[in-house]
């Protein structure tokens, strides 16, 4: 094994080269030393085999990882043959006692201690609130009431009845973990698991707190004043850090997640930061034009429409929409006029309307004239 060249060196690469570099180098050298390109050249044949062997290892992610860690020993099952080997002949590994924590520590640095902290972060809480269309548009303050767990007021989170204290677990010595050995393809390995006596806390509570039953936390109803930003939309969420359930063993509290639901508006529909509505007008208002009243989020506003306004015409009130979150800019209000045709006319009204219609023969009615011309050409 000692006479084998480094696979990266064979391909003319630096250690840790990427897949594309490996593939490119292999293609170049395989073509260079291919027997068809070098008939009768024994040296080229040897190099061609060497290049293929290097590529077969470095192009395989699993083999490459083992080669990078253990060299040729990591990929050659015959290396160390005759020794007490636990993984394809990994000489010197079989029968030895390893702690996986120590192995990873030696590779990546850091402590070799296997003691695990018993601090547990509290769970997050999801709650939903319903706000009005206007509150979503302009923002508001809301008092949110929700249940959550808090550190027990009687035992201060220890879980032990006041006047007593938790004892160190004799099974794990207070570490919260138990070491055990298991056979793996690398030989006998030593690992850890949470202590089955204390549940990983390292402590035994013989006299549990009556208030929290040894849990260290109690359930309470909580109120919190939350700021709802202007422009928030349906289904969006606000994160309130540290307002969730209490942590245990010194762990930090979870977060409170508030999901926003918005009541539909009787007049407006929202699209992004713009709002839309329909405004009915009379035939006379459409024909003569004039000022009409438009609903906005702040109240009614006068708007002058031109004479001859057609049903379905859309107008814009700039800056009357929803506030864009974290800016002072606002979207627009778009309203579409709908000309309302009167019903249940009296005989007098009918006669007046017929007289009016007869008088409109010379009035500029572009759509009607255009349609009549199309029909005339169609049935000519």
């Amino acid at each position: 094994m000692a006479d084998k060249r480094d696979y990266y060196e064979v391909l003319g690469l630096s250690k840790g080269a990427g897949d594309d570099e490996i593939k490119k180098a292999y293609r170049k050298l395989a073509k260079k030393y291919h027997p068809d390109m070098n008939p009768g050249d024994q040296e080229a044949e040897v190099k061609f085999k060497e290049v293929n062997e290097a590529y077969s290892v470095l192009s395989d992610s699993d083999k490459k990882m083992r080669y990078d860690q253990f060299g040729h020993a990591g990929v050659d099952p015959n290396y160390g043959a005759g020794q007490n080997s636990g993984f394809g002949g990994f000489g010197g590994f079989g029968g030895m006692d390893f702690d996986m924590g120590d192995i990873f520590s030696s590779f990546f640095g850091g402590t070799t201690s296997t003691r695990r902290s018993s601090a547990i972060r509290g769970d997050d809480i999801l709650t939903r609130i319903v706000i009005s269309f206007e509150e979503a548009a302009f923002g508001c303050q809301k008092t949110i009431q929700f249940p959550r767990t808090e550190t027990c007021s009687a035992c201060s989170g220890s879980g032990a009845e006041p006047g007593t204290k938790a004892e160190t677990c004799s099974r794990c010595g207070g570490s919260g973990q138990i070491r055990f050995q298991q056979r793996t393809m690398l030989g006998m390995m030593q690992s850890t698991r949470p202590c089955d006596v204390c549940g990983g806390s390292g402590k035994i509570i013989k006299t549990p707190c009556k208030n929290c039953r040894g849990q260290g936390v109690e359930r309470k109803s909580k109120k919190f004043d939350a700021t709802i930003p202007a422009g928030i939309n349906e289904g969006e969420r606000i994160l309130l850090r540290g307002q969730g359930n209490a942590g245990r063993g010194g762990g930090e509290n979870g977060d409170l997640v508030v999901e926003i639901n918005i009541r539909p508006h009787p007049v407006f529909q929202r699209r992004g930061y713009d709002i839309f509505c329909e405004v009915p007008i009379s035939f006379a208002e459409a024909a003569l034009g004039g000022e009409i009243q438009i609903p906005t989020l702040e109240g009614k506003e006068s708007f002058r429409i031109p004479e001859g306004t057609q049903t379905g015409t859309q107008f814009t009130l700039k800056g009357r929409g929803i506030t864009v979150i974290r800016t002072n800019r606002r979207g627009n209000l778009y309203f579409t006029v709908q000309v309302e045709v009167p019903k249940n006319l009296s005989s007098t009204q009918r006669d007046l309307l017929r007289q009016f219609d007869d008088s409109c023969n010379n009035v500029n009615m572009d759509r009607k004239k255009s349609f009549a011309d199309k029909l005339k050409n169609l049935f000519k």
Side-chain angles (χ1 to χ4, degrees), residues 44-187:
E45 184 178 346
V46 171
K47 288 186 178 295
F48 181 72
K49 291 180 179 179
E50 194 177 39
V51 167
N52 275 281
E53 180 182 335
Y55 182 70
S56 69
V57 171
L58 298 183
S59 63
D60 185 306
S61 58
D62 183 55
K63 290 180 181 178
K64 183 174 181 288
M65 180 184 68
R66 286 188 273 126
Y67 179 75
D68 288 343
Q69 291 183 2
F70 304 110
H72 292 293
V75 293
D76 191 336
N78 297 316
Y79 184 61
Q83 300 183 44
N84 184 13
S85 172
F87 174 58
F90 272 115
F93 276 26
M96 294 187 69
D97 185 11
F98 284 89
D99 187 329
M100 289 302 289
D102 291 337
I103 290 177
F104 284 112
S105 171
S106 67
F107 287 156
F108 305 112
T111 178
T112 60
S113 171
T114 58
R115 180 182 177 87
R116 183 180 65 180
S117 171
S118 59
I120 301 174
R121 182 183 183 276
D123 292 332
D124 294 339
I125 298 173
L126 173 64
T127 188
R128 295 177 177 84
I129 61 170
V130 179
I131 62 176
S132 69
F133 195 93
E134 288 81 3
E135 287 174 328
F138 299 118
C140 62
Q141 290 287 123
K142 282 291 182 180
T143 299
I144 302 170
Q145 187 166 356
F146 58 98
R148 75 174 184 184
T149 59
E150 298 184 358
T151 300
C152 178
S153 56
C155 67
S156 301
S158 70
E161 181 68 14
T164 68
K165 61 180 182 179
E167 299 179 2
T168 300
C169 176
S170 58
R171 176 81 168 91
C172 64
S175 69
Q177 295 184 336
I178 298 174
R179 289 174 176 264
F180 66 97
Q181 290 184 337
Q182 61 180 2
R183 184 177 297 280
T184 71
M185 56 184 169
L186 292 177

Side-chain angles (χ1 to χ4, degrees), residues 27 36 69 75 97 117 123 132 154 156 169 174 179 210 217 234 240 256 265 280 288 305 338 344 360 367:
R27 286 176 176 174
D36 291 344
Q69 291 183 2
V75 293
D97 185 11
S117 171
D123 292 332
S132 69
S156 301
C169 176
R179 289 174 176 264
K210 294 184 179 66
V217 294
E234 173 72 23
L240 302 174
L256 175 64
H265 197 276
L288 301 175
I305 59 172
Q338 298 292 337
N344 303 320
C360 286
R367 290 186 182 178

Side-chain angles (χ1 to χ4, degrees), residues 35 113 272 275 299 354:
S113 171
I275 57 176
R354 289 191 183 97

